[in-house]
Amino acid sequence: MNMKKTDGTNRVVITGMGAVTPAGKGVDALWEKVMAGETCIDYISRFDSSEYPVHIAGEIPNYDPVAFGLTKREAKRIAPFVQYAYIASDEAMAQANFNMDEEDTSRIGTVFGSGIGGMEDIDKGSIAVNTRGPKKMNPLFIPTVISNMAAGNLSIRYGLRGACHNVVTACATGSHCIGEAYRMIRHGYLDAALAGGTEESVSSLSIAGFGNLGALTQRPDPKDASKPFDLDRSGFVAGEGAGAVVLESLEHALARGAHIIAEVTGYGTTGDAYHMTSPNPSGEGVARAMRMALDESGFAPEDLGHLNAHGTSTPLNDKTEAAALRQVVGEERGVELPVVSVKGVTGHMLGGAGAVEAIVTALSVANDCVPPTAGYHNPDPEAPAHVLTEAMTDYPQKVALSNSIGFGGHNATLAISPFHGE
């Protein structure tokens, strides 16, 4: 078996995956809802939203950190975005099944990000200072809210002493974290890494900020609100949670007898240099990231099996991504290639979105299928794409792409392929 890419760098495989999302705890819960095309969006229960312009979100159902596996001390001391990272990573690390007594932990890294960090504790801290005075501020406020604490605490939790990084690129965070971990393993800096993204985006500050920006849909029906690529889409729905993957060099995974789920075959990352919140409508930056990932994977555009789109359900994003896809695979095939957006199920999990979507992409290529897009009913002629309303099965693929696009013009694309062992 060839352990290396044609350029002599390491092949990188996925050996563990974990998630906590609006579908519930675990990858199985997520995959079940995604394949059924069942939206998990509902009315906000976390706080009173009566004075807000938006009343719906993708909350983790029945969330109780202790019931979800954390200790009471962890539930009290760490912010929700770190809690979510723990829950998803515990599942991923359990599936990867390392024997840490036999590992050189200085060769296992952590690349885990959050687009914003501890929103709820920022809100609480501000209220405490402004109503009760500075002495009432939690002394652990800073190390609780800063976004690198997902990565830092995860490395401590599992004793991972390799590179410990936090990529912060808004809604592209999860994909960039996986991509950067892939690069470190590919080029020999690490043997393995825990990578992913997390966000606690269903908070009063987040809903107010995105709502006043006009980014959130105000559609009243939670089951018909997140509508990626649909003609009637009107903005995204905030979602929360985390996704985690364990990446390893193929050589390292085989040496320890790990179960291999899929292979990360390429990664592309670009900047639009265009606008603070809007993607370049030409799709040029997104298309470059897609081409980079596809080229690095060793496959041609005609080999592409499907696109797991960023697909936020905002008018501009979906048009941009449809345009980018046509630039990569051609005008004709660009409207025939299967496209899915997970955000019809989960809403937009911001920093956690790319990691969760990478998990869905890995399962799709491993199971020879493409999921449907919840909320999609009416095609938009200005965003032409073959968005599925029913799951496509018995569909072997050589490679699929997973896109993420973040405020500030951050684009990330992961190329993920089934692992056949050749």
Side-chain angles (χ1 to χ4, degrees):
M1 184 184 300
N2 190 350
M3 303 289 183
K4 306 287 185 179
K5 286 176 168 282
T6 55
D7 62 1
T9 57
N10 294 315
R11 292 173 65 183
V12 180
V13 294
I14 301 171
T15 58
M17 302 192 302
V20 58
T21 71
K25 180 185 178 184
V27 169
D28 287 347
L30 170 69
W31 184 240
E32 179 184 351
K33 297 295 186 183
V34 168
M35 282 300 287
E38 182 178 338
T39 184
C40 299
I41 294 159
D42 213 328
Y43 296 104
I44 293 172
S45 63
R46 189 71 47 76
F47 60 91
D48 181 2
S49 68
S50 58
E51 295 185 6
Y52 291 70
V54 173
H55 310 292
I56 59 173
E59 295 181 342
I60 299 168
N62 304 310
Y63 182 68
D64 178 338
V66 176
F68 276 46
L70 304 186
T71 66
K72 290 182 179 179
R73 185 173 186 271
E74 289 167 343
K76 182 178 180 180
R77 287 176 64 88
I78 61 175
F81 80 102
V82 180
Q83 295 176 19
Y84 303 159
Y86 274 18
I87 294 163
S89 297
D90 282 353
E91 180 183 16
M93 291 293 284
Q95 185 177 31
N97 196 29
F98 287 105
N99 182 345
M100 287 301 181
D101 292 335
E102 297 179 357
E103 294 291 338
D104 178 358
T105 55
S106 69
R107 297 280 302 170
I108 305 178
T110 312
V111 189
F112 219 100
S114 175
I116 304 173
M119 291 284 280
E120 290 186 16
D121 284 277
I122 291 171
D123 191 14
K124 293 175 184 176
S126 178
I127 291 171
V129 167
N130 286 285
T131 60
R132 300 164 61 197
K135 291 185 178 180
K136 296 300 182 181
M137 171 62 77
N138 176 4
L140 294 177
F141 172 74
I142 296 299
T144 297
V145 304
I146 51 179
S147 63
N148 70 301
M149 278 302 164
N153 280 311
L154 289 170
S155 71
I156 295 167
R157 188 173 183 81
Y158 309 114
L160 309 181
R161 299 184 299 120
C164 185
H165 287 280
N166 168 41
V167 179
V168 182
T169 49
C171 311
T173 292
S175 291
H176 274 133
C177 286
I178 294 172
E180 294 303 313
Y182 155 81
R183 278 185 174 170
M184 282 189 272
I185 298 168
R186 179 189 171 199
H187 292 287
Y189 297 103
L190 295 172
D191 294 327
L194 172 64
T198 182
E199 206 78 82
E200 55 177 83
S201 42
V202 185
S203 68
S204 56
L205 282 179
S206 179
I207 298 300
F210 282 116
N212 290 352
L213 182 64
L216 300 179
T217 181
Q218 296 187 28
R219 293 178 71 91
D221 182 358
K223 304 306 179 187
D224 192 41
S226 184
K227 302 173 70 63
F229 293 96
D230 192 277
L231 179 64
D232 298 323
R233 67 194 184 280
S234 56
F236 74 81
V237 176
E240 64 180 357
V245 300
V246 174
L247 304 178
E248 300 183 55
S249 70
L250 177 58
E251 183 175 9
H252 186 267
L254 291 178
R256 68 181 192 88
H259 170 67
I260 295 172
I261 300 164
E263 182 171 357
V264 180
T265 47
Y267 169 50
T269 176
T270 64
D272 276 353
Y274 176 74
H275 190 271
M276 186 166 62
T277 59
S278 299
N280 186 332
S282 72
E284 183 273 336
V286 180
R288 276 191 294 120
M290 294 170 70
R291 288 194 190 99
M292 289 169 66
L294 199 55
D295 289 347
E296 189 171 89
S297 74
F299 294 105
E302 55 266 28
D303 295 321
L304 183 59
H306 82 277
L307 172 66
N308 190 307
H310 189 59
T312 56
S313 184
T314 57
L316 188 54
N317 176 94
D318 297 356
K319 290 179 186 177
T320 298
E321 229 173 337
L325 179 59
R326 296 195 304 276
Q327 290 173 46
V328 173
V329 302
E331 289 290 332
E332 184 175 344
R333 190 153 187 265
V335 297
E336 296 174 349
L337 188 80
V339 172
V340 59
S341 170
V342 175
K343 292 178 178 69
V345 174
T346 63
H348 189 355
M349 293 170 58
L350 306 182
V356 166
E357 289 154 14
I359 289 169
V360 171
T361 306
L363 289 172
S364 298
V365 298
N367 291 286
D368 299 335
C369 64
V370 182
T373 295
Y376 176 80
H377 304 290
N378 303 311
D380 180 358
E382 294 187 11
H386 182 34
V387 182
L388 303 181
T389 56
E390 299 289 339
M392 179 181 287
T393 57
D394 299 319
Y395 180 64
Q397 302 165 69
K398 295 179 180 179
V399 63
L401 297 180
S402 182
N403 279 351
S404 291
I405 302 169
F407 278 2
H410 306 285
N411 305 307
T413 301
L414 297 168
I416 300 177
S417 300
F419 179 74
H420 297 304
E422 64 273 3

